[in-house]
Amino acid sequence: MSHACQKCIHPDCAAEYDLYQVLPKCPACGNLLDIIYDWDQLRIPSHPMMLGRAAWPSGGMGAISGVWRFGDLLPFAPLEKRVSIGEGHTQLRVSPNAAAYAGIKKETFRLQYEGLNPSGSFKDNGMAGAFSHANMVGAKVAACASTGNTSASLAAFASASGLMRAIIFIGDGKISYGKLSQALDYGAVTLLVQGDFDDAMARVQEVSAREGIYLVNSVNPFRLEGQKTTMFRVLEGLNWQVPDWVVCPGGNLGNSSAFAKALYELYDLGIITKLPRIAIVNSSGAPTFSRLVNDHGLKWNGGRVDDSIIDSYYAKLDADNVKASTIASAIEINRPVNLKKALRAIDRLNGVALDVSDQAILDAKANIARDGLGCEPASAASVAGAKQLVEKGVIDRDATVVCILTGHQLKDPHATVAYHSFSEEDLAKEYGRFGIATSKYGNRPISVANSADDIVAKIRQTLG
Ligand SMILES: *Cc1c(COP(=O)(O)O)cnc(C)c1O
Ligand SMILES: [Zn+2]
């Protein structure tokens, strides 16, 4: 192989493909593809502080990219083909209130705030990878089906770079205004497909194949290369001291898969000398990964995953007409495309899978926000998951724990306003189907008369 290639994850196939091929999955066996590197040829600096220093001419895009400054560790694209919109300027933050809520010592608890990306979610890390690959192969049009954040990211990359047009497929009525507004404002061709997300997904695949459009959907392995960089920034924030736990929400399971790949590649390169454990947190309204791992014994099994367990689980979902249903719309997914890579992640990192209720997600979200960190509901599954694992004795309260906040608060302000200001009755009416009935950590707005006397009285009463 040259310095890098695409490789099937199934050990009995292990077919390799050139980087310039555009493949949704392994043409030989239908499994997922990885990007793998010949690290000996690439000669990676062994000290983390030296990473990326040589890779960018000064003033290049790498200087503004929190993805490409780690380009040494995802070297699939030639320098001149790499695209950035200034993604990955995210922060590892202390969060004493959320720490106390989760039951972890505040000194060892951190939140990685990926909502600070240009389009407001971690998807920009992955899009830097996939969009650069689209640029490598000369694509002029890129498309995706999305519940919102992937489409917002693609639309931003297309307009900011001017390199190609973006076409967004959305299930009609299935997207929050925060996310839809981004696709429209960035000028993407926005198609409201009469149907749900699954219909939009099926159509985007059909149309892309027919028209030769580059697809940036979640199976794209180049996206996961970009998403590795969240872990590099976490480790950088910890002075390259490896935490005990990384806790992240699980939807299509791209992030968790990418985090694991980042970590064991660093380990294999000798840049870190221990591996953290990973916890992947579903919503109980979309608990496929948690159920398959915890109740059905599904395992990575050296890459020979027992497909019959997955097939029968999905057949039962269909037979019972079960649909994913959670307020955390970014993880409202019952058929996660990166399932097998996430099994590999928990295998390599001695990880766990779990699911948390939507009530627990919103309660956690309110506690995160009290530290000044606003996130969308899906993100808060990480902290809700950490809390559950502490209660079960799986995570020690002295452990070093990093929870990933995947998307910004303003992606879905309706859920936040409802939680804080609705009466219990209205909350149950609107969100009872998700099992949300109380706003224990709610911060109700106060109605006041148009009078300084009344306002002063209410302020004194409130501040005590
Ligand atoms: C996409 C997304 C997720 C789910 O991530 P996966 O990589 O699909 O598991 C979680 N939170 C937010 C905000 C997202 O946009
Ligand atoms: Zn294969």
Side-chain angles (χ1 to χ4, degrees):
M1 100 178 173
S2 72
H3 75 286
C5 72
Q6 308 185 63
K7 183 175 181 177
C8 176
I9 65 168
H10 200 291
D12 300 334
C13 173
E16 295 187 1
Y17 305 95
D18 186 85
L19 286 178
Y20 283 83
Q21 281 186 269
V22 180
L23 304 166
K25 43 180 90 153
C26 175
C29 75
N31 272 294
L32 296 166
L33 296 169
D34 266 335
I35 310 304
I36 60 159
Y37 304 98
D38 180 351
W39 298 113
D40 292 337
Q41 246 187 81
L42 287 159
R43 292 198 297 162
I44 303 305
S46 61
H47 196 283
M49 303 299 267
M50 294 303 292
L51 289 170
R53 289 296 149 90
W56 283 92
S58 62
M61 230 182 258
I64 62 157
S65 173
V67 168
W68 295 117
R69 69 190 178 86
F70 295 104
D72 283 350
L73 296 169
L74 48 147
F76 66 84
L79 288 190
E80 68 281 6
K81 295 294 181 189
R82 297 177 185 182
V83 184
S84 169
I85 62 168
E87 62 288 332
H89 287 273
T90 60
Q91 302 166 353
L92 190 70
R93 301 281 292 262
V94 296
S95 185
N97 193 67
Y101 178 72
I104 295 163
K105 266 193 1 206
K106 66 178 188 297
E107 291 78 8
T108 59
F109 182 81
R110 295 287 183 280
L111 293 173
Q112 175 66 16
Y113 194 15
E114 291 295 315
L116 294 178
N117 271 291
S119 83
S121 84
F122 78 82
K123 296 297 197 296
D124 292 341
N125 300 314
M127 202 55 68
F131 203 86
S132 296
H133 184 249
N135 192 31
M136 273 168 72
V137 301
K140 288 286 160 255
V141 186
C144 69
S146 169
T147 61
N149 284 337
T150 300
S151 60
S153 183
L154 173 60
F157 268 84
S159 53
S161 70
L163 287 167
M164 56 195 96
R165 291 299 299 274
I167 306 183
I168 309 298
F169 287 61
I170 289 160
D172 201 1
K174 298 287 180 190
I175 185 173
S176 76
Y177 260 29
K179 300 175 187 182
L180 178 60
S181 67
Q182 294 181 286
L184 298 175
D185 217 19
Y186 292 138
V189 176
T190 306
L191 304 173
L192 304 177
V193 181
Q194 287 169 25
D196 63 9
F197 172 76
D198 292 334
D199 298 316
M201 192 68 220
R203 294 296 83 72
V204 76
Q205 286 173 311
E206 203 180 326
V207 171
S208 301
R210 207 191 278 181
E211 295 293 295
I213 293 168
Y214 188 93
L215 201 55
V216 294
N217 65 350
S218 311
V219 286
N220 187 314
F222 297 96
R223 260 178 70 179
L224 301 201
E225 290 305 294
Q227 286 171 211
K228 293 193 307 193
T229 61
T230 297
M231 279 304 104
F232 304 151
R233 296 192 296 271
V234 163
L235 287 168
E236 191 177 53
L238 294 171
N239 248 326
W240 296 89
Q241 300 299 303
V242 177
D244 298 313
W245 284 93
V246 172
V247 186
C248 70
N252 256 328
L253 303 174
N255 236 7
S256 39
S257 302
F259 294 172
K261 186 170 189 280
L263 291 161
Y264 59 70
E265 283 176 349
L266 287 177
Y267 184 80
D268 291 344
L269 284 166
I271 293 173
I272 56 175
T273 53
K274 96 172 216 207
L275 288 167
R277 298 183 71 185
I278 193 167
I280 303 176
V281 190
N282 284 154
S283 160
S284 304
T288 294
F289 190 65
S290 170
R291 294 280 183 277
L292 283 173
V293 168
N294 296 317
D295 304 347
H296 298 270
L298 190 68
K299 288 196 168 59
W300 169 242
N301 192 28
R304 295 178 185 86
V305 176
D306 186 346
D307 284 304
S308 71
I309 297 177
I310 305 169
D311 293 344
S312 66
Y313 183 86
Y314 289 163
K316 179 115 174 47
L317 288 184
D318 286 340
D320 299 345
N321 197 24
V322 175
K323 301 262 185 256
S325 173
T326 164
I327 196 164
S329 58
I331 54 173
E332 191 175 42
I333 295 167
N334 260 346
R335 284 173 163 74
V337 297
N338 288 299
L339 174 61
K340 290 185 184 178
K341 286 185 177 176
L343 291 170
R344 179 174 66 184
I346 58 172
D347 183 74
R348 293 268 182 104
L349 301 183
N350 188 19
V352 297
L354 67 155
D355 56 274
V356 294
S357 71
D358 280 10
Q359 181 75 57
I361 286 174
L362 288 194
D363 289 344
K365 182 170 121 47
N367 277 280
I368 296 162
R370 288 296 171 89
D371 287 314
L373 300 165
C375 66
E376 68 172 282
S379 309
S382 59
V383 172
K387 179 177 165 65
Q388 191 189 107
L389 291 170
V390 170
E391 283 162 2
K392 285 185 179 154
V394 178
I395 294 183
D396 200 86
R397 70 169 247 97
D398 297 330
T400 308
V401 179
V402 177
C403 292
I404 312 298
L405 298 184
T406 46
H408 199 276
Q409 184 182 42
L410 298 178
K411 291 282 190 175
D412 187 2
H414 189 81
T416 304
V417 173
Y419 180 86
H420 286 293
S421 70
F422 281 16
S423 68
E424 307 258 295
E425 195 189 352
D426 287 345
L427 194 65
K429 206 181 290 167
E430 181 150 352
Y431 290 125
R433 71 199 147 103
F434 299 134
I436 297 161
T438 61
S439 47
K440 199 165 155 198
Y441 303 94
N443 177 28
R444 211 137 299 129
I446 302 163
S447 288
V448 291
N450 185 12
S451 126
D453 286 347
D454 186 42
I455 293 171
V456 167
K458 292 265 172 50
I459 290 173
R460 287 193 179 154
Q461 188 189 330
T462 307
L463 296 184

